Structure formats: structure tokens, C-alpha cells
């Protein structure tokens, strides 16, 4: 049994959704299909919400455009008249609910997180019903019934202990091979709170996560992520035109690339299948004949000679430096830094510390930068007032770049080649970090230098 996930671009046009149908119906074994909203619909749902809460009557125009988009898709791909009529009843009921919510937001002038979560859920609820009707012999499953979250630190986090028993119970016959249908279809991204039952979600990119959760719970043979690219690339082809697809990655390498900007897979996706040793295969919906990228626990021998697998970047980087002579030799300073950030829901993706311990630089996204400075200045207010520490230093307009490869630890001279290449190209490194595992070297540069990265960095030597 396989789990196949199709992203927004894979269900965004008539051509792509018919490719999806062909791919799924061509499988020689039972499959669970997880789909995102039609391409662009999630953004449309959010933008329509903003119009409604602002009292802008054009929210109705935006809403009607979404209705028309879904109706046109159904008319183009569902040829059976009876099936089309049944599907339209379901879809129009969901669209009617959505319209009522928008009208409420418009009249009251208030848009809570709870209401926003409900609104964006309609993208996957509608698309999954359309795909279930399209695929021969498929059965629709409501993800809101079995993907459960718990609210912690201001976030909705997936609850494995609550969800797993629900998944195993609901899919029992399918997993045992006694079900009458061979294809299950469910919407990704959407979930409900395990305590209140309110609609929540797994975050942008969460459809990948839904698919991984199902693959792990059902002990799938493989998790296939179908998207609009032919796997992980050695670099962003928009930055480096010599980039090419990577045939194989380890879970560690894929995680590092994702954490540093590669948007092929939503980062939390890897963990559930990794612990079950379930391979992830990245495939292109528009070019299914391409090999794609296979992600497993270990690399094959053919790849063992390649030290660097890929290069990725985060271009919305801000660097915060915590510094002061009082930090030297004082136990607990870093604990205070990271505890404060964690308690305020701020994620750090890179850390660089001076060997003298008098400064620690942390990389955060631009969106989190001001808030991070605010809470850290508050945490160290006494030390700053006494002059033992300085106020947080914030540097903007930066980018974080990472070179990734598990075999870097077996290859001397990688760091030398990296920094030599950067130096020859006139690129100044503001901060850098390398973990003890030596699977990646990350460094911060000015954002304007991002496109000056030398493509030779990504080629095996």
C-alpha cells in the first residue's frame, strides 16, 4: 500500500488533475491519496477574508470567482452526469457554508483565528471531494475526523497519541485489504482540536505532513510526494541555472535542505516516515516519467563519492547578536536566550557563537526579528542597564546559505573550498556555523550577494 500526496499545482488545472487521475488509476496496489486545495485557492480564501473584515464589498466578487473556479473544474473533468450532479450538491453546500461565514465576518467586522482556520479549511474540503469523484472506485475520507491537534505555546501541534488510534480504526478494512474500494482520498492540511473539536490546520505545507502521518500510521510501503518539480535540485534553478535533480538523499540531508529553504517538502513531513523507515519519493505530476528523488535512511553506494549533495538558502534572514562581557564563562546565558525565544514562539534556524563566549548570533526570519529583539532586551534588561551587556544588535537584508551532504565529514578541505570560492567572488561571510555531524555548513551573507553564489560549490569533487 502506498500514500500519494498531490500539491496545489497538481490539482490546479484540468491538465494536471487529469494527470493525477491517470497516475492514481495506474497504480497496481491500494493507495491513499492526499490532496491540497486547488492551486491558488488557499491564498484566495485568505485574501477574501481580509476584504470581508475590512468591510470591502468586493469580497463577494472574490468569493464568486472561487465558486466559478470550482464549477469550471468540475464541468471540465467529470463527464458522468449523475456523478457530476451529486458532486455539485456536495460542493455547493460547502461553498454555501463558506459564503455565510464571509457574510458574518463582513457584518461584524471581526476575523478571529478560529474563523480564519475554518475559512481556509474549505480549500481542501472541496478539492478532496472533487478528486474522490474523479478517480474511479475512490472513497472520500474526512480528515477533520482523524487528524487531531493540541494547542501549545500559541500553536496547533499534531497529536499522534490521539490521531493514530482514529486512523487505524477508520482505515482498518483498507489496511487489511478487506475494503471494497482500492483508493482512499482525503484532504491534507486540515485538522481539528482534540479537546474542543474546533477546526485547526497543520500550517502552510501541511498537506505533506498529513500524507506522512497516514503513511506512518498505516505502515505504507512508500510515501510519494507529487509536485511540479522533478525532485530536489542541487540548488535553486532560479539562482543557479546549472542545477540538476538529485537522485538520492538520506533523511538527514533532505531535512537539512528543507530547513534551509528548499520548498520541495514541508520539513515536519520527514520525521513520521523516517522513524518507520518508509522511503519518500518526490515525483513530477507533469512529467511522471522523470526519476525524481528518493529519500531513504541510507545512501546507495553509487552516491558515496559525492561530498556535497545540494545547496539551499533562506533569503529572508535577520541576524540578532547577543553580546557583552558578562556572558563570558557565565552558565545559563544561552539557556535564557533560547528559552525566552521558545516561550514566545520564535524559531531559530542558525546559531553562531564566538569561542570567547562574549557573543552569540542567531538567525531568525524577518517576520520574527523585531519581536525577538524585544523579548531578549526585556529578558536581559538588568544586565543591559548595568552595562554588562549590550542591547540586541539586529542586522537585516541578509540571506542564509547552506551546503549539505552527509559525506562532507569524510572529505577534507570542503570548508576551505567553500570560503575560498566566496572570497574570490568578493562575498563577505557575516556569520557561519557547522554542526558536529558535519552534514551542513551554513553561513550568512548580504541578501544582494545571494545570486553571486558560485555554482561550482554544488558539484562533486
Amino acid at each position: 500500500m502506498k500514500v500519494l500526496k498531490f500539491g496545489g499545482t497538481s490539482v490546479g488545472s484540468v491538465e494536471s488533475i487529469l494527470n493525477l487521475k491517470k497516475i492514481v488509476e495506474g497504480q497496481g496496489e491500494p493507495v491513499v491519496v492526499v490532496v491540497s486545495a486547488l492551486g491558488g485557492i488557499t491564498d484566495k480564501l485568505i485574501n477574501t477574508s481580509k476584504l470581508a473584515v475590512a468591510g470591502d464589498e468586493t469580497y463577494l466578487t472574490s468569493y464568486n470567482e472561487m465558486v466559478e473556479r470550482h464549477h469550471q473544474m468540475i464541468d471540465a473533468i467529470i463527464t458522468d452526469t449523475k456523478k457530476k450532479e451529486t458532486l455539485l450538491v456536495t460542493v455547493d453546500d460547502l461553498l454555501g457554508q463558506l459564503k455565510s461565514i464571509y457574510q458574518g465576518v463582513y457584518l461584524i467586522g471581526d476575523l478571529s483565528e478560529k474563523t480564519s482556520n475554518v475559512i481556509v479549511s474549505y480549500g481542501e474540503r472541496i478539492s478532496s471531494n472533487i478528486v474522490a469523484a474523479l478517480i474511479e472506485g475512490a472513497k472520500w475520507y474526512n480528515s477533520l475526523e482523524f487528524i487531531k491537534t493540541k494547542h501549545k505555546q500559541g500553536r496547533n501541534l499534531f497529536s499522534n497519541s490521539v490521531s493514530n488510534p482514529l486512523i487505524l480504526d477508520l482505515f482498518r478494512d483498507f489496511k487489511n485489504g478487506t475494503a471494497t474500494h482500492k483508493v482512499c482520498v482525503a484532504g491534507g492540511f486540515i485538522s481539528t482540536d482534540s479537546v474542543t473539536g474546533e477546526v485547526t490546520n497543520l500550517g502552510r505545507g501541511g498537506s505533506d505532513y498529513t500524507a506522512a502521518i497516514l503513511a506512518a500510521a498505516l505502515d505504507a510501503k512508500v510515501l510519494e510526494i507529487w509536485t511540479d518539480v522533478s525532485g530536489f535540485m542541487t540548488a535553486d534553478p532560479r539562482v543557479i541555472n546549472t542545477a540538476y535533480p538529485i537522485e538520492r538523499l538520506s533523511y538527514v540531508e533532505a531535512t537539512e535542505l528543507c530547513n534551509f529553504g528548499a520548498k520541495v517538502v514541508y520539513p515536519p513531513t520527514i520525521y513520521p516516515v523516517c522513524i518507520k523507515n518508509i522511503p519518500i519519493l518526490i515525483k513530477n505530476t507533469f512529467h511522471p516519467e522523470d526519476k525524481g528523488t528518493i529519500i531513504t535512511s541510507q545512501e546507495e553506494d553509487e552516491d558515496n563519492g559525492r561530498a556535497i549533495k545540494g545547496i539551499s538558502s533562506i533569503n529572508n534572514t535577520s541576524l540578532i547578536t547577543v553580546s557583552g562581557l558578562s556572558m563570558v564563562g557565565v552558565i545559563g546565558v544561552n539557556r535564557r536566550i533560547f528559552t525566552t525565544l521558545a516561550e514566545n514562539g520564535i524559531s531559530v534556524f542558525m546559531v553562531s557563537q564566538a569561542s570567547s563566549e562574549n557573543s552569540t548570533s542567531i538567525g531568525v526570519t524577518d517576520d520574527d526579528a523585531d519581536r525577538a529583539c524585544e523579548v531578549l532586551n526585556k529578558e536581559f534588561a538588568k544586565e543591559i542597564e548595568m552595562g554588562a551587556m549590550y542591547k540586541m544588535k539586529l542586522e537585516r537584508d541578509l540571506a542564509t546559505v547552506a551546503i549539505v551532504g552527509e559525506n562532507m565529514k569524510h572529505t577534507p578541505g570542503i570548508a576551505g573550498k567553500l570560503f575560498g570560492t566566496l572570497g574570490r567572488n568578493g562575498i563577505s561571510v557575516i556569520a557561519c556555523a557547522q554542526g558536529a555531524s558535519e552534514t551542513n555548513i551554513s553561513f550568512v551573507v548580504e541578501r544582494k550577494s545571494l545570486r553571486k553564489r558560485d555554482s561550482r560549490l554544488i558539484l562533486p569533487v
Side-chain angles (χ1 to χ4, degrees):
M1 187 269 290
K2 296 181 179 180
V3 175
L4 279 60
K5 180 266 176 177
F6 292 88
T9 54
S10 297
V11 291
S13 67
V14 172
E15 175 195 1
S16 62
I17 205 167
L18 290 178
N19 282 348
L20 178 158
K21 173 181 170 67
K22 187 182 299 184
I23 290 165
V24 173
E25 293 180 353
Q27 301 295 319
E29 58 190 294
V31 294
V32 176
V33 177
V34 176
V35 297
S36 298
L38 303 191
I41 286 295
T42 300
D43 287 336
K44 189 84 168 176
L45 288 163
I46 294 170
N47 291 334
T48 306
S49 300
K50 293 177 180 178
L51 292 173
V53 76
D56 189 335
E57 291 184 355
T58 59
Y59 85 88
L60 281 171
T61 302
S62 184
Y63 164 78
N64 287 329
E65 289 171 353
M66 287 189 285
V67 173
E68 184 65 19
R69 170 88 181 278
H70 288 99
H71 280 182
Q72 287 178 349
M73 179 66 79
I74 293 169
D75 286 339
I77 65 174
I78 306 297
T79 55
D80 184 283
T81 303
K82 186 175 180 181
K83 185 180 288 187
K84 182 182 293 187
E85 289 175 352
T86 303
L87 176 60
L88 282 171
V89 169
T90 300
V91 170
D92 285 344
D93 179 56
L94 291 169
L95 289 168
Q97 295 172 27
L98 178 61
K99 184 177 183 180
S100 296
I101 297 170
Y102 277 139
Q103 287 174 333
V105 171
Y106 173 77
L107 291 171
I108 298 172
D110 180 70
L111 182 64
S112 66
E113 180 184 356
K114 175 182 174 180
T115 303
S116 295
N117 287 339
V118 173
I119 287 171
V120 296
S121 74
Y122 280 93
E124 276 74 12
R125 292 161 79 175
I126 295 171
S127 66
S128 59
N129 273 283
I130 293 174
V131 171
L134 174 67
I135 298 172
E136 194 66 34
K139 180 179 179 180
W140 179 75
Y141 285 74
N142 185 0
S143 298
L144 298 177
E145 295 180 356
F146 54 84
I147 301 296
K148 299 292 182 177
T149 61
K150 289 184 178 180
H151 195 72
K152 292 182 179 179
Q153 297 178 338
R155 301 170 60 197
N156 296 309
L157 304 177
F158 171 68
S159 174
N160 186 69
S161 61
V162 178
S163 301
N164 247 31
L166 296 173
I167 294 169
L168 292 173
D169 182 56
L170 195 60
F171 289 83
R172 181 186 295 111
D173 291 343
F174 185 77
K175 183 179 180 181
N176 294 339
T178 58
T180 56
H181 55 284
K182 295 296 182 184
V183 179
C184 303
V185 178
F189 170 70
I190 57 177
S191 52
T192 49
D193 188 274
S194 59
V195 177
T196 66
E198 294 174 355
V199 175
T200 57
N201 61 68
L202 302 178
R204 294 302 291 262
S207 291
D208 288 357
Y209 196 18
T210 303
I213 290 164
L214 287 169
L218 300 173
D219 296 314
K221 182 174 73 177
V222 65
L223 167 61
E224 296 184 1
I225 306 289
W226 289 82
T227 181
D228 58 356
V229 294
S230 297
F232 276 84
M233 303 290 285
T234 51
D236 186 340
R238 295 169 298 181
V239 178
I240 298 177
N241 58 18
T242 55
Y244 54 87
I246 304 169
E247 288 190 15
R248 290 184 175 274
L249 287 171
S250 68
Y251 293 124
V252 172
E253 290 169 333
T255 300
E256 294 285 5
L257 287 170
C258 290
N259 285 336
F260 283 94
K263 300 184 185 302
V264 181
V265 175
Y266 181 53
T269 301
I270 298 172
Y271 177 71
V273 291
C274 172
I275 59 175
K276 287 289 193 77
N277 203 24
I278 298 170
I280 305 172
L281 178 60
I282 313 297
K283 295 281 285 181
N284 192 330
T285 305
F286 301 90
H287 299 285
E289 70 280 0
D290 290 353
K291 292 180 68 174
T293 299
I294 185 73
I295 304 169
T296 58
S297 58
Q298 294 180 338
E299 300 174 273
E300 297 294 328
D301 289 340
E302 64 194 59
D303 282 334
N304 281 346
R306 182 175 299 175
I308 299 174
K309 284 296 190 70
I311 181 171
S312 59
S313 61
I314 302 172
N315 61 10
N316 62 330
T317 295
S318 290
L319 194 70
I320 298 171
T321 300
V322 187
S323 61
L325 294 178
S326 71
M327 294 175 61
V328 179
V330 178
I331 296 173
V333 173
N334 283 342
R335 177 190 61 78
R336 290 173 63 189
I337 293 172
F338 297 113
T339 299
T340 299
L341 294 174
E343 288 175 346
N344 287 274
I346 298 170
S347 177
V348 175
F349 53 78
M350 197 196 81
V351 180
S352 179
Q353 184 175 33
S355 57
S356 63
E357 300 181 33
N358 70 343
S359 70
T360 298
S361 296
I362 55 176
V364 299
T365 63
D366 291 341
D367 291 341
D368 287 336
D370 289 330
R371 177 64 176 155
C373 283
E374 178 187 341
V375 298
L376 288 172
N377 279 327
K378 184 177 179 181
E379 171 65 24
F380 293 100
K382 282 187 177 182
E383 289 86 349
I384 293 171
E385 184 180 356
M386 295 168 54
M389 289 183 64
Y390 303 109
K391 282 190 175 182
M392 303 303 120
K393 178 185 176 184
L394 174 60
E395 296 176 84
R396 299 182 184 273
D397 298 321
L398 306 175
T400 303
V401 183
I403 60 170
V404 174
E406 288 211 77
N407 285 330
M408 289 198 301
K409 56 192 169 188
H410 301 307
T411 308
I414 292 294
K417 180 178 180 181
L418 166 65
F419 293 112
T421 302
L422 293 172
R424 286 194 300 275
N425 284 274
I427 299 173
S428 176
V429 175
I430 298 168
C432 63
Q434 180 177 15
S437 65
E438 297 184 64
T439 55
N440 88 72
I441 301 174
S442 52
F443 55 94
V444 178
V445 297
E446 291 182 338
R447 190 178 300 166
K448 64 183 180 182
S449 298
L450 190 60
R451 291 186 177 274
K452 293 176 67 177
R453 295 178 303 179
D454 194 319
S455 63
R456 284 172 292 175
L457 290 176
I458 65 172
L459 300 179
V461 291

